[in-house]
Amino acid sequence: MAADNQIESVLKEDRVFEPPRQFVEDAVLKPADIKALYAAAEADHEAFWADQARQYLDWHKPFTQTLDASKAPFFEWFADGQINVSYNCLDRHLADRGDKTAIIFEGDDGEVEHISYRDLYTRVCRFANALKAAGLAKGDRAVIYLPNVPEAAVAMLACARIGAIHSVVFGGFSAPSLRDRIDDAEAKMLITADGNYRGGKLIPLKETADKALAEGGATIETVVVLKRAGADIAMADGRDVWWHDFVADQPSECEPTWVEAEHPLFILYTSGSTGKPKGIQHASAGYLLGAICTCRWVFDLGDEDVFWCTADVGWITGHTYIAYGPTACGATQVMFEGVPTYPEPDRFWKMVDTHQVTIFYTAPTAIRALMKHGDEYPQRHALDSLRVLGTVGEPINPEAWMWYRELIGKSRCPIVDTWWQTETGGHMITPIASYTPTKPGSVTQALPGIDADILDESGERVTNAGAGGVLVIKKPWPYMLRTIWGDPDRYRGTYFGMYDAHTYVAGDSAQRDEDGDFRILGRIDDVVNISGHRLGTMEVESALVAHEAVAEAAVVSRPHEVKGEAIIAFVILKDGEGDDRLASDLRDWVAEQLGAIAKPEEVRFADGLPKTRSGKIMRRLLRTVARGDEITQDVSTLENPQILEQLQARGS
Ligand code: WT7
């Protein structure tokens, strides 16, 4: 029996898929190249990262010092070097790739626009000149509240060009959330749009921005407004300016502002388990290095690829794998304004064929949602341009993984299940497409130069296969966060408070199997304790989803007299309402799959789950519902607030 302070895993998975031979033959990076990276990183962690930084980044002033750990956990990388991120994403491609398509943009309504590297460069330079003319200087903050359109990337790269710090706020956030972020960052400028259409519905961005600014945002001097929806909006005299007027007289060249390697590139807010959102602050050189290395290694991104990350620029995934990574690699990428189910649930697959996408990167929640619509949607399309599939954001259940592999990848494409966080800046634990054998639901191995491990609560390494513990990173890496904006104590406490100032605590629990491959069990606070056995909620969810009647499931615990905690499962069916008989079948099913210990006390059927706008299930809320308590949490970031009433009403 496992020790009390270990998280047990009862999930068994023995399917292993080697990288397909044809894929490896055609790959840019060969297994020998990857092996050499692992060996170099193993031999000398710092020298390894210094080599990567010299190979992949163009420096204005080369660095001489690699890592400064003297102020741990406030680490510095390449600190005496100078660089400009937008130069690395644009200028250096002009000679060889000026006419190459940087962005293939597809709007919600299906309009398509191809933007070359030269065109992107010009747009960024003109916008950067306009920012300077409006008084935005190095170190000033600009909040970007735009739809997922090329102008969002233009605005981000333009800030980087002049050393201003951007903070992108996802377009789905409410006025109070926007206001809090503007106030916390003390932003001087807000860059938004009159509105846009997503899934055919108008998102009134400017109206929301005006509400935010009516109640706060006193530091904002200028509001730049992109005309996108053609919506009828108010423009405040002396404060608001249309994007097209803003750039109208600006020259199409803008000398980059060279900044220190550690100069903040951006702040991105993410929610903590308690309290106000944390402004995750990233540095310039180290962050960009991570974006480039991970694109090249994990996705095997090369010059011939058409890369598509379906995330929104409002999330870290859209920062690293839309705005910065692919552009710094000089790649062609697809950017999409809409949603996967509009006008029909085959939108993604149709776009893959239209734009001949070779690398496709999305979230498990999207995969499960599309899976629920049925196989006929992907089957309408050839999907033969694809060579790599990726997922990110939450554990992917083996059922969805296999569906992705077979229906989308036609059993021909490696799947990279990439574990990382807003804080880590880029991929950390993930298969490398051309190298790593994959297993459904496993994030496999840490990347070269990333020292991941699993510890128990006393700081001892957990070495038993199948035993779980706290996921940590034991050495700093160039693309890690540098601090929480304005709150260094919270940074230290949240990420380095559990063990020591060199041990980054991700807040996730994980286990390793017999091969040493990692599996993410969930957030530490999503762990349930049943009769002295700790279980990751994800495993029970996976088991439920493996049942033929179930489309999606979320599992939480509530206190139980005898067992300590009991499992409550919220289940969404593929069809129909669900009844006591099915509830009882599902409970038996889980017991059968995972053992009696994991048998849910109660199964509650619902039409949907409470989710954040980024698609994460809000288990915190479900816990409250499961306990029959009154909801006192902030529900303003919920995608679907009405679902809560339904869940409460159905309680027994
Ligand atoms: C948390 C970070 C990283 C970009 C999107 C989310 C969970 C992320 C995986 C994965 C299992 C995953 C973790 C992590 N997570 N990727 N492949 N397998 N869990 O960024 O909002 O900062 O969330 O998402 O719990 O800590 P984020």
Side-chain angles (χ1 to χ4, degrees):
M1 235 219 315
D4 193 38
N5 56 357
Q6 293 185 346
I7 300 161
E8 284 164 43
S9 171
V10 285
L11 191 72
K12 290 272 173 286
E13 176 60 65
D14 41 32
R15 288 168 288 195
V16 181
F17 301 96
E18 297 289 331
R21 185 142 34 98
Q22 191 60 49
F23 178 86
V24 172
E25 245 167 61
D26 299 339
V28 182
L29 285 179
K30 304 297 182 197
D33 302 321
I34 305 296
K35 225 184 193 119
L37 289 172
Y38 273 111
E42 188 63 34
D44 189 336
H45 181 74
E46 276 188 49
F48 168 76
W49 282 117
D51 280 349
Q52 304 306 315
R54 289 192 189 98
Q55 179 188 344
Y56 282 131
L57 296 175
D58 282 12
W59 293 88
H60 179 64
K61 177 174 173 267
F63 62 92
T64 61
Q65 178 190 336
T66 302
L67 169 66
D68 180 357
S70 63
K71 296 182 287 283
F74 299 91
F75 299 100
E76 294 185 353
W77 285 90
F78 321 119
D80 63 344
Q82 284 182 8
I83 197 165
N84 180 279
V85 166
S86 101
Y87 179 90
N88 276 272
C89 296
L90 301 168
D91 308 43
R92 64 169 169 167
H93 304 313
L94 293 181
D96 296 338
R97 300 188 185 86
D99 294 326
K100 180 176 176 176
T101 299
I103 298 176
I104 304 171
F105 171 65
E106 185 165 319
D108 190 59
D109 63 1
E111 58 148 333
V112 173
E113 188 190 1
H114 287 243
I115 301 170
S116 70
Y117 270 96
R118 183 164 297 107
D119 190 10
L120 186 62
Y121 165 82
T122 305
R123 293 190 200 194
V124 169
C125 285
R126 293 179 72 202
F127 199 74
N129 283 323
L131 292 176
K132 279 204 267 192
L136 199 71
K138 181 181 171 194
D140 287 346
R141 276 80 61 206
V143 165
I144 298 173
Y145 185 60
L146 282 171
N148 203 43
V149 295
E151 285 82 358
V154 168
M156 293 161 81
L157 289 163
C159 286
R161 194 158 193 91
I162 66 169
I165 303 167
H166 62 68
S167 182
V168 184
V169 176
F170 174 57
F173 275 120
S174 62
S177 315
L178 175 60
R179 181 201 58 208
D180 290 348
R181 286 158 173 77
I182 291 172
D183 287 344
D184 190 74
E186 298 178 285
K188 256 173 120 167
M189 189 177 291
L190 175 62
I191 303 164
T192 185
D194 58 346
N196 81 311
Y197 288 89
R198 272 188 92 226
K201 284 200 291 272
L202 178 69
I203 316 287
L205 292 166
K206 177 61 161 65
E207 208 181 294
T208 310
D210 282 338
K211 273 188 214 147
L213 295 182
E215 295 157 15
T219 50
I220 296 287
E221 295 167 7
T222 312
V223 179
V224 183
V225 186
L226 176 73
K227 204 182 201 65
R228 176 77 197 143
D232 193 14
I233 52 149
M235 294 289 279
D237 249 358
R239 187 196 71 184
D240 300 355
V241 52
W242 287 105
W243 178 299
H244 50 269
D245 294 330
F246 191 59
V247 299
D249 299 321
Q250 296 301 334
S252 52
E253 301 275 337
C254 172
E255 185 60 24
T257 300
W258 304 107
V259 300
E260 319 76 72
E262 282 293 309
H263 182 66
L265 177 63
F266 63 83
I267 305 165
L268 182 61
Y269 287 86
T270 181
S271 37
S273 47
T274 54
K276 62 172 187 160
K278 301 176 282 193
I280 304 302
Q281 180 184 319
H282 278 283
S284 295
Y287 168 79
L288 191 65
L289 181 64
I292 297 171
C293 289
T294 56
C295 278
R296 296 241 182 257
W297 299 341
V298 176
F299 296 122
D300 193 47
L301 179 62
D303 241 338
E304 307 299 316
D305 281 304
V306 178
F307 179 82
W308 182 15
C309 163
T310 69
D312 188 284
V313 282
W315 310 114
I316 190 66
T317 310
H319 282 56
T320 309
Y321 300 106
I322 297 177
Y324 292 113
T327 55
C329 292
T332 295
Q333 70 173 314
V334 172
M335 189 176 188
F336 177 44
E337 183 183 25
V339 299
T341 47
Y342 178 83
E344 286 200 74
D346 68 340
R347 185 72 183 267
F348 277 179
W349 320 132
K350 192 173 172 203
M351 284 179 62
V352 164
D353 275 10
T354 306
H355 305 302
Q356 291 291 290
V357 172
T358 61
I359 304 172
F360 180 76
Y361 190 33
T362 196
T365 180
I367 298 167
R368 286 195 296 265
L370 294 173
M371 192 173 150
K372 194 178 159 187
H373 284 282
D375 297 355
E376 64 268 26
Y377 291 101
Q379 279 164 352
R380 285 183 192 171
H381 305 278
L383 303 177
D384 52 3
S385 55
L386 289 171
R387 66 183 196 101
V388 182
L389 301 176
T391 103
V392 59
E394 51 178 321
I396 180 166
N397 48 296
E399 294 311 305
W401 197 99
M402 288 304 294
W403 186 84
Y404 200 28
R405 175 183 156 82
E406 286 166 6
L407 270 288
I408 309 306
K410 316 281 184 196
S411 306
R412 180 190 71 230
C413 306
I415 295 181
V416 291
D417 178 356
T418 61
W419 178 85
W420 60 295
Q421 309 174 291
T422 304
E423 292 87 342
T424 70
H427 302 155
M428 298 293 282
I429 308 180
T430 170
I432 292 180
S434 62
Y435 183 75
T436 319
T438 58
K439 297 169 193 167
S442 170
V443 295
T444 69
Q445 298 280 326
L447 287 174
I450 301 299
D451 190 4
D453 208 343
I454 299 174
L455 303 182
D456 68 16
E457 273 150 26
S458 64
E460 292 298 313
R461 295 191 61 212
V462 174
T463 49
N464 289 355
V470 176
L471 180 61
V472 297
I473 313 294
K474 297 195 295 191
K475 287 194 189 105
W477 63 104
Y479 47 107
M480 68 192 295
L481 80 166
R482 295 304 192 261
T483 188
I484 293 175
W485 180 257
D487 202 346
D489 291 340
R490 191 174 179 197
Y491 164 78
R492 185 198 297 270
T494 305
Y495 304 110
F496 297 90
M498 195 182 276
Y499 304 108
D500 61 48
H502 292 264
T503 308
Y504 172 84
V505 177
D508 283 344
S509 57
Q511 63 161 154
R512 260 181 296 205
D513 64 16
E514 294 79 9
D515 303 324
D517 281 337
F518 286 87
R519 188 179 294 274
I520 307 296
L521 299 173
R523 297 295 298 174
I524 288 174
D525 50 10
D526 285 339
V527 166
V528 296
N529 190 321
I530 314 292
S531 304
H533 295 265
R534 294 197 198 175
L535 289 168
T537 49
M538 180 253 153
E539 306 189 289
V540 184
E541 292 167 6
S542 265
L544 283 163
V545 177
H547 188 280
E548 59 183 27
V550 176
E552 201 171 10
V555 160
V556 296
S557 67
R558 79 175 165 221
H560 186 277
E561 266 181 34
V562 181
K563 304 183 207 166
E565 282 179 351
I567 290 176
I568 313 302
F570 294 86
V571 168
I572 300 171
L573 296 175
K574 286 184 182 145
D575 278 309
E577 290 277 331
D579 52 18
D580 288 351
R581 165 112 190 261
L582 182 57
S584 149
D585 286 351
L586 287 175
R587 295 174 61 230
D588 292 341
W589 165 264
V590 173
E592 222 173 273
Q593 302 283 306
L594 299 176
I597 187 82
K599 186 171 180 172
E601 175 89 352
E602 185 186 338
V603 169
R604 222 181 264 194
F605 297 107
D607 295 335
L609 297 169
K611 288 188 181 167
T612 64
R613 285 167 207 271
S614 63
K616 281 204 201 317
I617 296 165
M618 293 186 73
R619 290 196 175 69
R620 224 163 20 95
L621 277 176
L622 287 176
R623 267 198 292 275
T624 309
V625 172
R627 287 162 202 218
D629 295 344
E630 201 186 45
I631 293 172
T632 55
Q633 292 106 322
D634 175 18
V635 293
S636 65
T637 54
L638 263 190
E639 168 100 69
N640 45 1
Q642 72 293 345
I643 213 77
L644 274 182
E645 284 162 34
Q646 192 194 62
L647 292 173
Q648 285 174 308
R650 292 200 182 161
S652 45

Coordinates of all heavy atoms in Angstrom, one line a residue, residues 270 316-317 391-396 417-423 443 506-508 520 522-523 616, ligand 1:
T270 N -3.8 35.5 -14.9 CA -4.4 34.2 -14.7 C -5.0 34.0 -13.4 O -4.5 34.7 -12.4 CB -3.3 33.1 -15.0 OG1 -3.9 31.8 -14.9 CG2 -2.2 33.1 -14.0
I316 N -2.2 32.3 -22.9 CA -0.8 32.1 -23.0 C -0.5 31.3 -24.3 O 0.5 31.5 -25.0 CB -0.1 31.5 -21.8 CG1 1.4 31.5 -21.9 CG2 -0.6 30.0 -21.6 CD1 2.1 32.8 -21.9
T317 N -1.4 30.3 -24.6 CA -1.2 29.5 -25.8 C -1.1 30.4 -27.0 O -0.3 30.2 -27.9 CB -2.3 28.4 -25.9 OG1 -2.4 27.8 -24.6 CG2 -1.9 27.4 -27.0
T391 N -2.3 18.8 -28.2 CA -3.3 19.2 -27.3 C -2.7 19.8 -26.1 O -1.6 19.6 -25.7 CB -4.2 18.0 -26.8 OG1 -3.9 17.6 -25.5 CG2 -4.2 16.8 -27.7
V392 N -3.5 20.7 -25.4 CA -3.0 21.4 -24.3 C -4.2 21.9 -23.4 O -5.3 22.2 -24.0 CB -2.2 22.7 -24.7 CG1 -3.0 23.6 -25.6 CG2 -1.7 23.4 -23.5
G393 N -4.0 22.1 -22.2 CA -4.9 22.8 -21.3 C -5.4 22.0 -20.1 O -5.7 22.6 -19.1
E394 N -5.6 20.7 -20.3 CA -6.1 19.9 -19.2 C -5.8 18.5 -19.6 O -5.4 18.2 -20.8 CB -7.6 20.1 -19.1 CG -8.3 20.0 -20.4 CD -9.8 20.1 -20.3 OE1 -10.4 19.6 -19.3 OE2 -10.4 20.7 -21.2
P395 N -5.9 17.6 -18.7 CA -5.7 16.2 -19.0 C -6.6 15.7 -20.1 O -7.8 16.1 -20.1 CB -5.9 15.4 -17.7 CG -5.8 16.4 -16.7 CD -6.3 17.7 -17.3
I396 N -6.1 15.0 -21.1 CA -7.0 14.5 -22.1 C -7.3 13.0 -21.8 O -6.4 12.2 -21.5 CB -6.4 14.6 -23.6 CG1 -7.4 14.0 -24.6 CG2 -5.0 14.0 -23.7 CD1 -7.1 14.5 -26.0
D417 N 0.8 15.7 -26.4 CA 0.0 16.1 -25.3 C 1.0 17.0 -24.5 O 1.8 16.5 -23.7 CB -0.5 14.9 -24.5 CG -1.4 15.3 -23.3 OD1 -1.5 16.6 -23.0 OD2 -1.9 14.4 -22.7
T418 N 0.8 18.3 -24.6 CA 1.8 19.2 -24.0 C 1.4 19.8 -22.7 O 0.4 20.5 -22.6 CB 2.0 20.4 -25.0 OG1 0.8 21.1 -25.2 CG2 2.5 19.9 -26.4
W419 N 2.2 19.4 -21.6 CA 1.9 20.0 -20.3 C 2.7 21.3 -20.1 O 3.9 21.2 -20.3 CB 2.2 19.0 -19.2 CG 1.9 19.7 -17.9 CD1 0.7 19.8 -17.2 CD2 2.9 20.5 -17.1 NE1 0.9 20.6 -16.1 CE2 2.1 21.0 -16.0 CE3 4.2 20.7 -17.2 CZ2 2.8 21.8 -15.0 CZ3 4.8 21.5 -16.2 CH2 4.1 22.0 -15.1
W420 N 2.0 22.3 -19.8 CA 2.7 23.6 -19.4 C 1.7 24.5 -18.8 O 0.5 24.1 -18.6 CB 3.4 24.2 -20.6 CG 2.6 24.6 -21.8 CD1 1.9 23.7 -22.6 CD2 2.4 25.9 -22.3 NE1 1.3 24.4 -23.6 CE2 1.5 25.7 -23.5 CE3 2.8 27.2 -22.0 CZ2 1.1 26.9 -24.2 CZ3 2.4 28.2 -22.7 CH2 1.6 28.1 -23.9
Q421 N 2.1 25.8 -18.5 CA 1.2 26.7 -17.8 C 1.5 28.1 -18.3 O 2.6 28.4 -18.8 CB 1.5 26.7 -16.3 CG 1.5 25.3 -15.7 CD 1.9 25.4 -14.2 OE1 3.1 25.6 -13.9 NE2 1.0 25.1 -13.3
T422 N 0.6 29.0 -18.0 CA 0.9 30.5 -18.2 C 2.2 30.8 -17.6 O 3.0 31.5 -18.2 CB -0.2 31.3 -17.5 OG1 -1.5 30.9 -18.0 CG2 0.0 32.8 -17.8
E423 N 2.5 30.3 -16.5 CA 3.7 30.6 -15.7 C 5.0 30.0 -16.4 O 6.0 30.6 -16.3 CB 3.6 30.1 -14.3 CG 2.6 30.7 -13.4 CD 1.2 30.1 -13.5 OE1 0.9 29.4 -14.5 OE2 0.4 30.4 -12.6
V443 N 1.7 12.7 -20.7 CA 2.4 13.8 -21.3 C 3.9 13.4 -21.4 O 4.8 14.2 -21.8 CB 2.3 15.1 -20.5 CG1 0.9 15.6 -20.5 CG2 2.7 14.9 -19.0
A506 N 4.3 23.6 -9.4 CA 3.4 24.0 -10.5 C 1.9 24.0 -10.0 O 1.1 24.6 -10.7 CB 3.5 23.0 -11.6
G507 N 1.7 23.4 -8.9 CA 0.3 23.3 -8.4 C -0.5 22.1 -9.0 O -1.7 22.0 -8.8
D508 N 0.2 21.3 -9.7 CA -0.4 20.0 -10.2 C 0.1 18.8 -9.5 O 1.3 18.8 -9.0 CB -0.1 19.9 -11.7 CG -0.9 20.8 -12.6 OD1 -1.9 21.3 -12.2 OD2 -0.5 21.0 -13.8
I520 N -0.4 13.6 -15.8 CA -0.9 14.7 -14.9 C -2.2 14.3 -14.3 O -3.1 13.9 -15.0 CB -1.1 16.0 -15.7 CG1 0.2 16.4 -16.5 CG2 -1.5 17.2 -14.8 CD1 1.4 16.7 -15.7
G522 N -4.0 16.3 -12.1 CA -4.9 17.4 -11.9 C -4.3 18.4 -11.0 O -3.2 18.2 -10.5
R523 N -5.0 19.4 -10.8 CA -4.6 20.4 -9.8 C -4.5 19.8 -8.4 O -5.2 18.9 -8.1 CB -5.5 21.7 -9.8 CG -5.6 22.4 -11.1 CD -4.3 23.0 -11.5 NE -3.9 24.0 -10.5 CZ -2.7 24.7 -10.6 NH1 -1.8 24.4 -11.5 NH2 -2.4 25.6 -9.7
K616 N -12.2 25.7 -19.1 CA -11.9 24.9 -18.0 C -13.1 24.7 -17.1 O -13.8 25.7 -16.8 CB -10.8 25.6 -17.1 CG -9.4 25.4 -17.7 CD -8.4 25.6 -16.6 CE -7.0 25.9 -17.1 NZ -6.5 25.2 -18.3
Ligands
WT7_1 C1 -2.8 24.2 -16.1 C2 -2.3 25.5 -16.6 C3 -0.7 25.9 -20.9 C4 -1.7 26.6 -21.7 C5 -3.1 26.4 -21.4 C6 -3.4 26.4 -20.0 C7 -3.4 22.1 -16.9 C8 -2.2 22.2 -19.1 C9 -2.1 20.1 -19.6 C10 -1.9 18.8 -20.1 C11 -2.9 18.0 -18.2 C12 -2.7 20.3 -18.4 C13 -2.6 22.0 -15.7 C14 -1.8 23.3 -15.6 N1 -2.8 21.6 -18.1 N2 -1.8 21.4 -20.0 N3 -1.3 18.6 -21.3 N4 -2.3 17.8 -19.4 N5 -3.1 19.2 -17.7 O1 -2.7 27.3 -19.2 O2 -4.5 28.4 -17.8 O3 -2.0 28.5 -17.2 O4 -3.3 26.4 -17.0 O5 -3.6 23.6 -17.1 O6 -3.4 21.8 -14.6 O7 -1.3 23.6 -14.3 P1 -3.1 27.7 -17.8

